[in-house]
Amino acid sequence: MRAVRYILSAILVLVFGYIFIGEMVLPANTPMNGNICDELPSDKWFEVKEDGSRVPFIVPGKTDGDITLETTLPAPDEFNKDYSVLCFRGMDMEIYVDGELREKVETEDYALFGDQSAEGYVYASVYPEDAGKTLRVHYEYNAGMVYEVKIGTRLGILADLFESFGFEFFVGMAILIIGLICLIASVSYKIIHKKYLEMEHLSLGVILGACWVMSNSVFRQLYTSNMSVMSDIPFLMVMIMPLPFLVFVNSLQNNRYNRIIRVAGALEIINFIVCNALFVAGVVPLTGSFLPSALCAILSIIVMFITLIKDVKDHNIHTYKYVAAGFVFLAIAALIQIAAYQFAHNGVFSGLFMAFGLFAFMICAIIHTIKQLIGMRVEANEAMHVSKVKDDFLANMSHEIRTPLNGILGMDEMIIRETRESGTRKHALEIKSAGDTLLSIINDILDLSKIESGNFEIIPADYDLASVLNDVLNMTRPRAEKKGLAYYFSVDEEVPSALHGDEIRIRQIMLNIVNNAIKYTKKGHVDIQVTFRKKDTDMIDLIVSVSDTGIGIRPEDKDKIFKSFYRLDEKINRNIEGTGLGLHITKRLLAMMDGRITFNSVYERGSVFTLTVPQRIVKNEPIGDFSKAVSDYLNNMETDAVTLFAPEAKVLVVDDNDMNLDVMAEMLKDTKMKVVLSDSGPDCIEKASDTSYDVILLDQMMPEMTGEETLIEMNERGILHGTPVIALTADAIMGARESYLAKGFTDYVSKPVKYGELENVLKKYIPEEKQFTPDKEAGIPTALIWGYDSELLRQEKEKLQGVYNCRCVVGKKSMEKFLEKHTPDRIIQVM
Ligand code: ADP
């Protein structure tokens, strides 16, 4: 590749060397026949006065208005036989050769406003027989200048003009194109990345400058169809050109000099309005606006200069030093240009200075923008890094906080269950409530950080809608009832029962809204209605609307409630627990599922929040009478109490934290299960290979060997024989059931462990024949405990107290005798 680069360089040197030698060293040999351009002598002109008298006149020269000039065309011996045209610069004019009208130009009818015609080049034919004849030109509406008159061929005259003014034209064109490219680039960047690049206003300024150069060019005749309008453009450009530069500089300076820059901008705008009003009204032609416009522009330049100098003094310039340098070039160029226009008006005027100034400025500004873009990229990378660190920190923190919290809440649960003292119970309940709040805050912050870092995934799966609704009902109804609120929950019977979507998030969103309704309602009711709208054959919009008769939301607060950490009426609501994250998360989650949330609220009357989320239909079977299902369910429900008894079940609990182990043991005490505790992965493997358990509860995060590694090891050794392994996890965010199932766990229970949740999972996995639910109506069942060691019998009886009505007998014979007369519900042998 390197060799190719060298060869390419050599080829380029050869090719460009050849071009250079051809142009600069070899003699000129381009055929120039026909390229003739001469000037009529400047000192052989006479002004013809109205009375017919003739006064000598030097061309180019100044005039006050209409003027008639006369000269003699070259004599036959000087007259080139190829001469075909005379070329004049001016506005309306009449050209006579020997009294015969050769050309007449009248442009005043074309102007939209004002009566000023535009200067341009006018050609008149000339023939060899005209040699030595009189040429008379009558100039009308002259802007004050009579220019030299050329004689030659059309091509020759054009080539001559090109030599003098072609460079300016090309520079103007180049600036126009670069300006347009930069404008398109910065506007596209703004649309795509929602970020403003200062280059946008700069390129506008540069485009205006380029328009000024182009509309002023001697070649404008070649690319405009209306010279009058074209000749107005330079004056308009001078009026507005400083404005985008003011915006640009102001933005570069972070609005430090906002006030003075605004004053300059306001002056520009007033000048624009006044000059144009006078122009349109026909009072002052646009040429008359040049002076005030130029003064305003000079003022703006001075203002910008002052701010630059101030920034140099205050060491603020380094943020835009390239642009500042470019600006100095441009300002100098503009001042020279204005001077050139105003004072050096003795020939055709060129915008070359301005063109160069703009070019230099544009280059400097492009360098600035490239640096700005590189800076943004670096910032974005840093931000990404910071967000990753934040994410890791939050994930770790969540685990670190949840583990001790698990201990606190678990122990507290024990106190609540065991204490007979109302004072202690009250305090314990307060700990529970504060702990639950802390837990929900941690969950919210974690969710939010995941959403913001883009790591939050919506995991759609098939699910049973009734089960989600049931969960919502169970988790919210007791709170509403405790507050004395009427609680209504109605479900459209036709809603399809099985849907495809992210069940966990749907539940979370519904819980959020219903909990808010309960939280912010003191009296009255909370009404939850679940309906749907069919979108097409296999899609529905699931619609959940939650209305309450609570505190409501003021109209002026309506936009605020979805902001993160934003809580209304902080003072009034300070007793209501919350972080101001719930609705923000809800909205973000819904957006991720293509759903939306809307609400209506009357302050102090109540609110209605409506969630709409598209879900795919899995089974079109209607859900049916959900309320009946709910009431049946409620009748069977026993809250908080232990409803699982499984004295013969054996459970292994693995956790590296002793306190957590104690909590689990305490929690499971009332189930009468045999609970074996283990404090590490290797110990768990050892215990599981010695004995078979009905369920293993395995902590996910352990130092030596994680839960996952322990599970893999047990599977590899083949010691599980189908024993369900339930993950205990403090990582709520990862808590999606699917991800644990994918790792090989049978299910998961999130930490801090809530007894109800734990019991539900255990009920699912402990073999049914080992489970037993006491039937209150039928009375406490009876059990016969028999064995040979009376001490063991006594212990077992004590353990089963409350679950069974126990009778102990010693020896097999006594047992058989007993059975002759009684039929206990269960017979337990103690060895
Ligand atoms: P919080 O954790 O404070 O409840 P949310 O994001 O869930 O946070 O709600 C933001 C704010 O919106 C709340 O602080 C509350 O002022 C207002 N709000 C939410 N739901 C209701 C409602 N049902 N009735 C009245 N105000 C509500």
Side-chain angles (χ1 to χ4, degrees):
M1 203 58 212
R2 197 185 239 184
V4 174
R5 281 209 301 266
Y6 285 138
I7 294 170
L8 178 66
S9 313
I11 291 174
L12 289 178
V13 168
L14 281 178
V15 171
F16 283 100
Y18 181 62
I19 296 172
F20 181 80
I21 292 169
E23 284 297 307
M24 301 295 183
V25 182
L26 296 181
N29 66 347
T30 311
M32 296 299 281
N33 55 328
N35 271 10
I36 300 165
C37 177
D38 294 324
E39 217 167 86
L40 291 183
S42 63
D43 52 353
K44 289 190 181 154
W45 288 90
F46 296 94
E47 180 181 351
V48 181
K49 303 271 183 193
E50 264 173 34
D51 57 5
S53 60
R54 287 159 44 109
V55 184
F57 189 90
I58 303 287
V59 171
K62 291 194 188 236
T63 161
D64 297 334
D66 294 3
I67 187 168
T68 305
L69 296 179
E70 250 184 31
T71 190
T72 312
L73 287 171
D77 53 335
E78 291 165 27
F79 200 99
N80 190 324
K81 65 174 173 32
D82 288 329
Y83 284 160
S84 59
V85 282
L86 287 159
C87 176
F88 307 83
R89 182 177 168 91
M91 303 173 177
D92 299 352
M93 61 179 81
E94 285 162 21
I95 300 150
Y96 300 88
V97 175
D98 218 13
E100 175 202 338
L101 181 66
R102 281 283 161 88
E103 194 61 63
K104 182 175 176 170
V105 181
E106 246 176 340
T107 57
E108 62 197 297
D109 295 345
Y110 308 146
L112 190 56
F113 301 112
D115 61 357
Q116 193 99 26
S117 299
E119 272 184 2
Y121 286 91
V122 174
Y123 284 102
S125 302
V126 71
Y127 311 102
E129 32 311 358
D130 292 337
K133 287 185 180 167
T134 312
L135 168 71
R136 177 192 279 229
V137 193
H138 177 66
Y139 292 96
E140 257 182 77
Y141 296 116
N142 210 297
M145 274 303 295
V146 176
Y147 303 93
E148 49 279 90
V149 176
K150 293 179 197 291
I151 185 164
T153 58
R154 279 175 194 268
L155 190 61
I157 292 168
L158 197 61
D160 182 65
L161 288 176
F162 218 80
E163 208 161 279
S164 312
F165 303 107
F167 192 50
E168 170 210 12
F169 170 78
F170 281 120
V171 175
M173 196 66 170
I175 300 169
L176 184 64
I177 292 170
I178 297 178
L180 282 173
I181 292 173
C182 290
L183 181 68
I184 292 170
S186 44
V187 170
S188 314
Y189 192 86
K190 186 158 87 178
I191 293 170
I192 296 168
H193 295 287
K194 312 257 172 311
K195 268 203 175 124
Y196 167 72
L197 287 183
E198 282 123 6
M199 197 169 73
E200 181 183 327
H201 279 93
L202 165 84
S203 41
L204 270 180
V206 169
I207 289 171
L208 295 181
C211 287
W212 181 82
V213 174
M214 297 297 287
S215 60
N216 224 1
S217 161
V218 298
F219 300 107
R220 59 188 180 182
Q221 232 168 314
L222 302 179
Y223 47 77
T224 179
S225 58
N226 189 316
M227 275 286 283
S228 305
V229 172
M230 182 58 97
S231 64
D232 286 342
I233 292 176
F235 300 102
L236 291 173
M237 293 303 145
V238 174
M239 283 178 209
I240 52 179
M241 213 159 53
L243 277 174
F245 286 111
L246 286 171
V247 175
F248 171 61
V249 167
N250 199 22
S251 164
L252 280 181
Q253 297 169 332
N254 289 330
N255 300 343
R256 273 192 293 280
Y257 309 106
N258 206 7
R259 200 173 291 168
I260 179 166
I261 288 200
R262 267 168 186 242
V263 171
L267 268 180
E268 296 284 352
I269 292 168
I270 293 169
N271 175 62
F272 177 82
I273 294 170
V274 173
C275 289
N276 282 301
L278 294 174
F279 168 53
V280 172
V283 182
V284 181
L286 266 189
T287 39
S289 74
F290 179 77
L291 196 60
S293 304
L295 285 177
C296 284
I298 291 172
L299 190 91
S300 293
I301 292 171
I302 293 172
V303 163
M304 288 188 261
F305 251 117
I306 293 173
T307 61
L308 286 189
I309 291 165
K310 179 99 185 17
D311 269 355
V312 172
K313 267 191 170 169
D314 298 349
H315 305 290
N316 284 328
I317 201 83
H318 61 276
T319 53
Y320 65 105
K321 52 180 184 281
Y322 295 104
V323 181
F327 182 75
V328 173
F329 278 127
L330 178 64
I332 294 172
L335 291 175
I336 296 176
Q337 191 71 72
I338 290 170
Y341 186 75
Q342 203 54 17
F343 304 115
H345 203 173
N346 60 350
V348 181
F349 136 76
S350 141
L352 194 60
F353 299 112
M354 192 65 190
F356 266 128
L358 284 170
F359 198 75
F361 190 38
M362 192 78 214
I363 297 296
C364 293
I366 288 176
I367 296 173
H368 169 82
T369 307
I370 290 171
K371 282 196 72 179
Q372 191 184 5
L373 286 175
I374 293 172
M376 278 183 189
R377 174 50 50 93
V378 171
E379 254 172 45
N381 280 346
E382 273 170 12
M384 246 164 73
H385 178 70
V386 169
S387 129
K388 165 117 192 30
V389 171
K390 190 182 95 184
D391 243 33
D392 292 349
F393 168 75
L394 280 170
N396 281 335
M397 188 196 76
S398 112
H399 184 252
E400 296 303 321
I401 295 182
R402 280 154 166 279
T403 304
L405 194 59
N406 185 28
I408 296 169
L409 286 180
M411 283 299 179
D412 192 54
E413 185 117 17
M414 299 302 101
I415 299 174
I416 295 170
R417 209 180 289 163
E418 287 181 359
T419 186
R420 303 272 174 271
E421 255 182 73
S422 71
T424 312
R425 191 178 156 77
K426 202 171 140 241
H427 296 319
L429 283 172
E430 271 162 18
I431 294 177
K432 181 175 155 58
S433 142
D436 284 344
T437 309
L438 181 57
L439 196 63
S440 80
I441 293 173
I442 294 170
N443 285 343
D444 278 358
I445 292 177
L446 255 168
D447 276 358
L448 189 66
S449 84
K450 287 272 168 184
I451 292 173
E452 285 189 343
S453 63
N455 289 340
F456 201 98
E457 262 187 85
I458 294 292
I459 305 170
D462 293 352
Y463 70 93
D464 188 8
L465 181 62
S467 123
V468 173
L469 298 179
N470 232 331
D471 289 351
V472 173
L473 183 91
N474 287 339
M475 292 164 93
T476 54
R477 187 183 167 120
R479 283 187 75 188
E481 282 176 350
K482 215 160 147 192
K483 277 186 90 172
L485 303 175
Y487 183 95
Y488 308 111
F489 199 114
S490 65
V491 180
D492 185 337
E493 289 191 14
E494 296 300 318
V495 184
S497 58
L499 298 174
H500 184 84
D502 191 333
E503 162 187 10
I504 294 174
R505 299 306 155 202
I506 300 257
R507 182 186 302 124
Q508 179 179 356
I509 289 168
M510 284 182 69
L511 280 174
N512 242 327
I513 302 303
V514 179
N515 275 332
N516 269 357
I518 298 170
K519 260 197 309 195
Y520 296 107
T521 305
K522 279 205 191 94
K523 57 175 195 279
H525 68 256
V526 170
D527 184 359
I528 300 135
Q529 288 182 12
V530 182
T531 55
F532 75 110
R533 190 170 37 223
K534 197 130 189 174
K535 288 179 81 173
D536 49 56
T537 45
D538 69 341
M539 283 300 281
I540 58 160
D541 265 338
L542 183 67
I543 302 169
V544 180
S545 90
V546 179
S547 55
D548 63 56
T549 52
I551 58 173
I553 294 154
R554 288 198 191 88
E556 63 266 31
D557 289 334
K558 289 198 168 165
D559 296 334
K560 298 178 189 156
I561 60 166
F562 292 109
K563 289 192 180 150
S564 55
F565 295 106
Y566 201 92
R567 309 198 66 210
L568 306 176
D569 290 330
E570 195 76 62
K571 273 188 200 145
I572 307 168
N573 291 340
R574 71 171 179 276
N575 294 329
I576 303 177
E577 68 195 34
T579 51
L581 281 176
L583 285 180
H584 180 73
I585 293 174
T586 299
K587 192 168 177 177
R588 301 282 294 259
L589 287 179
L590 275 168
M592 288 169 85
M593 297 193 284
D594 298 326
R596 59 180 187 278
I597 176 167
T598 55
F599 75 98
N600 261 320
S601 185
V602 180
Y603 188 55
E604 291 181 333
R605 287 278 189 75
S607 325
V608 184
F609 281 81
T610 306
L611 313 167
T612 309
V613 56
Q615 299 282 283
R616 218 180 65 219
I617 304 171
V618 174
K619 236 195 298 168
N620 222 338
E621 214 166 87
I623 198 164
D625 190 352
F626 183 76
S627 350
K628 186 176 170 296
V630 169
S631 59
D632 288 352
Y633 178 81
L634 286 175
N635 289 338
N636 292 333
M637 196 172 72
E638 279 185 45
T639 40
D640 265 340
V642 174
T643 60
L644 169 71
F645 298 102
E648 283 150 83
K650 232 187 262 165
V651 177
L652 177 62
V653 184
V654 192
D655 196 314
D656 59 300
N657 184 314
D658 286 347
M659 189 155 155
N660 284 345
L661 284 177
D662 289 350
V663 167
M664 290 293 279
E666 274 294 310
M667 256 189 201
L668 294 174
K669 198 170 88 183
D670 288 354
T671 64
K672 312 291 178 195
M673 292 176 194
K674 289 187 186 68
V675 179
V676 178
L677 304 177
S678 161
D679 63 0
S680 72
D683 183 60
C684 158
I685 296 170
E686 205 183 310
K687 289 206 161 87
S689 51
D690 289 349
T691 324
S692 92
Y693 293 91
D694 292 302
V695 168
I696 298 176
L697 294 164
L698 181 53
D699 183 28
Q700 170 59 20
M701 280 271 210
M702 288 186 295
E704 204 177 330
M705 215 175 167
T706 66
E708 203 182 323
E709 286 162 357
T710 313
L711 176 65
I712 292 170
E713 180 78 29
M714 289 195 291
N715 275 330
E716 272 172 11
R717 293 198 190 182
I719 52 178
L720 283 177
H721 308 296
T723 307
V725 181
I726 318 276
L728 294 175
T729 169
D731 192 356
I733 202 89
M734 295 282 294
R737 193 164 174 263
E738 285 71 21
S739 84
Y740 280 98
L741 298 193
K743 286 177 186 163
F745 287 99
T746 316
D747 209 328
Y748 81 101
V749 174
S750 63
K751 283 165 117 183
V753 176
K754 294 211 173 71
Y755 179 73
E757 235 174 82
L758 177 65
E759 192 185 90
N760 282 340
V761 171
L762 289 175
K763 273 184 180 168
K764 248 196 247 177
Y765 300 107
I766 287 179
E768 249 170 53
E769 63 276 11
K770 292 192 181 173
Q771 289 189 37
F772 164 65
T773 310
D775 182 348
K776 283 199 175 145
E777 279 164 26
I780 292 183
T782 51
L784 171 66
I785 307 171
W786 76 277
Y788 297 99
D789 183 336
S790 55
E791 180 55 26
L792 281 182
L793 289 180
R794 195 187 59 74
Q795 280 176 10
E796 186 69 17
K797 184 176 175 184
E798 209 164 78
K799 207 173 105 188
L800 295 180
Q801 204 58 47
V803 185
Y804 294 107
N805 232 338
C806 299
R807 263 306 278 280
C808 298
V809 288
V810 181
K812 197 173 180 188
K813 280 215 170 115
S814 322
M815 182 266 287
E816 282 163 1
K817 230 177 180 180
F818 182 84
L819 287 181
E820 278 167 18
K821 288 180 191 157
H822 307 277
T823 41
D825 294 306
R826 214 173 184 98
I827 303 164
I828 298 162
Q829 186 185 6
V830 182
M831 294 297 229

